Each structure stands twice: as structure tokens, then as C-alpha cells.
Amino acid sequence: MSTTPPHPSASKDAAGPRIAPGPPPAVHARGLTVELPSRDRPYAAPLRAVQELDLTVPAGQVTALVGANGAGKTTTLRTILGALPFSAGSLEVLGTAMGPARVAVPQGVAVVPDTPAYPERWTARKVARAQAAAGPFDLARFEARLTAHRVPLDRPVGSLSRGQLTQVAVAAALARDPHLLLLDEPFARLDPLARTDLVDELRELMARGDRTLLLSTHDLEGMDRFVDHLVVIAGGRAVLEGDVETLCEEFLLLEQPSDLAPGSDAGSPLIGPAATGGTMRGLVAVDDAAGLAPDASLRRPTMSELVTHCLRAAGATSAPDTTTAPATTSRRDES
């Protein structure tokens, strides 16, 4: 199991040459705790939607924030935006320390919300004017993108489809040319073609090298070559975090007949085991793969399989347990 590597240091010692420090993370949270009032019981104790969350979003990379409904993903994004206060911990966004009660959106950050909320009578052009009043905004880029996706500019947004409304929100965010772009379930309301087009557009954005993308999504299909960094969140806490390639090298997907004992002869447990069709599947750490049953088969997991089994493991206990939902923060070496 890997652990967080030491941050590159600019100091020089007798053992080696000077090493240039890597860029600071775009988002860095430690022990972040966010409490929300109860909707059904106004006098009840607040709900801890995010609990002692440790989160790193590497600069210049695509980070996927993944978890089940209610895991705390949207709350985390809204806290990064400054829209929600936090009660404990620390949070830095683009190098700026966020105070617990800060409500201003950090400069250089844009968001595509899960459910864009615009006055129903506004048109896309009105949305653009309102956005431009709040800061730098490329109106030509906004209109060109909507025209390319056949979204009417002069129709009230209340009459647009959910997919078209998402396209308006994406166009508004990209027109800001943000250094940090947050997307909350952007693919949920898009058809397959529009989804592919958006991923391609985001690839072009990331190709510039000075942009960072934090993506909250349930849909990881075909994202293995797009996402660099993965954060799996359950119960408001990160149960798995690290570089995607490294994580997929640290674990193996085991498949064996379900009538065999889950795990290995050496007693190594499976992570998030599930039995279907007479076959038991689960993750096993590479270091624990020795001594597996002869009928077991092993292969590298996809990112989606890695997430699925880790979430299943996290749901089996009331708190993250490193024996079933291992947390790691390995990162790809930065040059």
C-alpha cells in the first residue's frame, strides 16, 4: 500500500541535486467538516454532510470526485465555491485560504451545477449579460458554443430541455476561461453524443496545461483515459484517493467460484466482494495476492470497477476501515 509521497523540496542535501518543487494543488482540504441544518427538523442538531475530509486536487489535472447519492460530493463542491461555510478544518483554493464563513466565489473558479437555476423567463442572452456583469466573460465564445449545439439564444430557459439547460451552464462556465472548473454531474442530462462532445471539449481545455478540472460524477464509462486523479467519498469522507494509474496498479480484481472462501489461503480479505452468477468478485491488494485459490483469476481493474468495489466496502461499515476501504494518496510524479 502506498502513502503520500513527500512534497518535492527545493533544498539541496549531500545525497543529491536540487529538486524543483511541483505546483501547489488547486484545492487542498484537511479535516474539512461541513454541517447542514436538518430540513425536516429545524431544531435538531445539524447534519454533518462532510466529515473530516482530506482532499487534494492536483493542479493541471482532471480529478473525479465519486460517491453514492448523499455522500457529500455536492456539499464539497459548494464549500470549495465559498457558498457554504465549514465548521472545522482548513481549505485552500487556488492558493487562497478560505475562511470558515467566506461566501465569495474565489477568483478564477467557475462551476457547472447539477441543476442550473436561472429565472425561467430569462433567455440565454440574458444569462450571458448577467454573467458578464459579474466578471470577465467571452460573449462570442458563449454564443458560438450554444449555436454549435443548437441551443436557442432567445427562447426562455424555462422552455429548454434539461440537456439544453446544461449546455447553457457549460457555455457560461467556459466563457469565463476559468483556471479551476467544477462540474457537478454534468453528464446526467446529456445524450450520448452531447456527452462525447463535452468530454472532447474538456480535453481541449486541459490540453492548455494551466487548467484544473474537478468533476463530480456517477458516470465513469470511458473515463479511464481522461481522469488523472480519483477521490472516492463515502459518508462525507474520502475512502480512496490517488493517481488513477497508480491505484489501478496497486489493486487486482479477483474472480473465483463463489463457493470458495472469500479471500486467499493466507487470510487476505477481499475488498467489496460481490457474488453474481456463481462468481465472487472483489478487489485484492497486489501485495496480498500470494496464496490465492488455484481457481481464482486476477486482472487489473478498470476505474469503474475500482470505485464500485471500494464504495461497496465503505457501505459495509459505519466508518472508513483501511482493511476494507483502503485510503491512499499516491500521485503521479510531477516534472
Side-chain angles (χ1 to χ4, degrees):
M1 299 287 297
S2 61
T3 57
T4 306
H7 190 76
S9 172
S11 63
K12 179 180 180 181
D13 57 29
R18 183 183 301 270
I19 300 175
V27 178
H28 187 69
R30 285 294 175 266
L32 190 68
T33 298
V34 182
E35 297 180 337
L36 300 178
S38 173
R39 295 180 179 177
D40 301 326
R41 301 170 59 193
Y43 299 104
L47 168 69
R48 284 196 170 185
V50 174
Q51 304 185 58
E52 300 178 356
L53 175 67
D54 292 340
L55 171 68
T56 298
V57 178
Q61 297 188 20
V62 177
T63 295
L65 182 64
V66 187
N69 290 331
K73 303 187 303 300
T74 296
T75 298
T76 298
L77 294 186
R78 294 185 66 192
T79 304
I80 292 172
L81 282 168
L84 289 176
F86 55 93
S87 57
S90 63
L91 174 64
E92 291 187 2
V93 180
L94 296 181
T96 300
M98 301 284 286
R102 181 167 178 169
V103 295
V105 177
Q107 187 68 29
V109 181
V111 62
V112 178
D114 178 20
T115 306
Y118 306 118
E120 291 190 355
R121 294 185 179 181
W122 280 18
T123 64
R125 294 188 194 276
K126 175 63 176 178
V127 170
R129 288 195 294 270
Q131 293 280 339
F137 189 86
D138 189 337
L139 179 60
R141 181 178 182 179
F142 174 84
E143 293 184 351
R145 189 185 188 283
L146 292 187
T147 299
H149 289 276
R150 300 181 180 179
V151 178
L153 295 168
D154 297 308
R155 181 187 300 174
V157 296
S159 66
L160 300 180
S161 69
R162 293 187 300 175
Q164 290 175 321
L165 194 58
T166 295
Q167 295 286 16
V168 172
V170 171
L174 293 179
R176 291 198 173 281
D177 195 22
H179 288 279
L180 172 61
L181 178 59
L182 311 179
L183 299 103
D184 192 1
E185 297 291 349
F187 307 128
R189 295 172 174 83
L190 297 181
D191 60 55
L193 179 58
R195 179 189 187 279
T196 299
D197 288 343
L198 177 57
V199 171
D200 288 343
E201 191 170 7
L202 295 176
R203 288 183 195 275
E204 293 180 4
L205 176 69
M206 295 304 299
R208 297 179 54 174
D210 60 347
R211 298 295 184 262
T212 302
L213 178 63
L214 177 56
L215 172 71
S216 169
T217 182
H218 288 101
D219 186 2
L220 291 173
E221 182 181 355
M223 302 288 283
D224 293 72
R225 294 177 179 268
F226 179 57
V227 174
D228 303 299
H229 195 78
L230 179 66
V231 181
V232 181
I233 186 172
R237 297 177 179 176
V239 297
L240 186 74
E241 176 180 358
D243 175 87
V244 171
E245 291 183 2
T246 301
L247 290 176
C248 289
E249 290 174 357
E250 290 183 345
F251 298 96
L252 294 170
L253 183 71
L254 177 144
E255 296 182 347
Q256 66 182 25
S258 56
D259 56 350
L260 297 179
S264 69
D265 295 339
S268 299
L270 287 182
I271 300 169
T276 56
T279 300
M280 174 72 72
R281 296 179 178 84
L283 296 176
V284 61
V286 170
D287 294 343
D288 296 333
L292 292 171
D295 293 337
S297 65
L298 295 169
R299 63 174 174 83
R300 297 292 183 190
T302 65
M303 182 171 58
S304 181
E305 291 169 336
L306 184 69
V307 168
T308 297
H309 287 283
C310 284
L311 285 177
R312 183 175 286 117
T317 58
S318 58
D321 183 337
T322 55
T323 63
T324 57
T328 179
T329 52
S330 300
R331 289 179 57 185
R332 188 176 304 163
D333 292 338
E334 294 174 341
S335 58

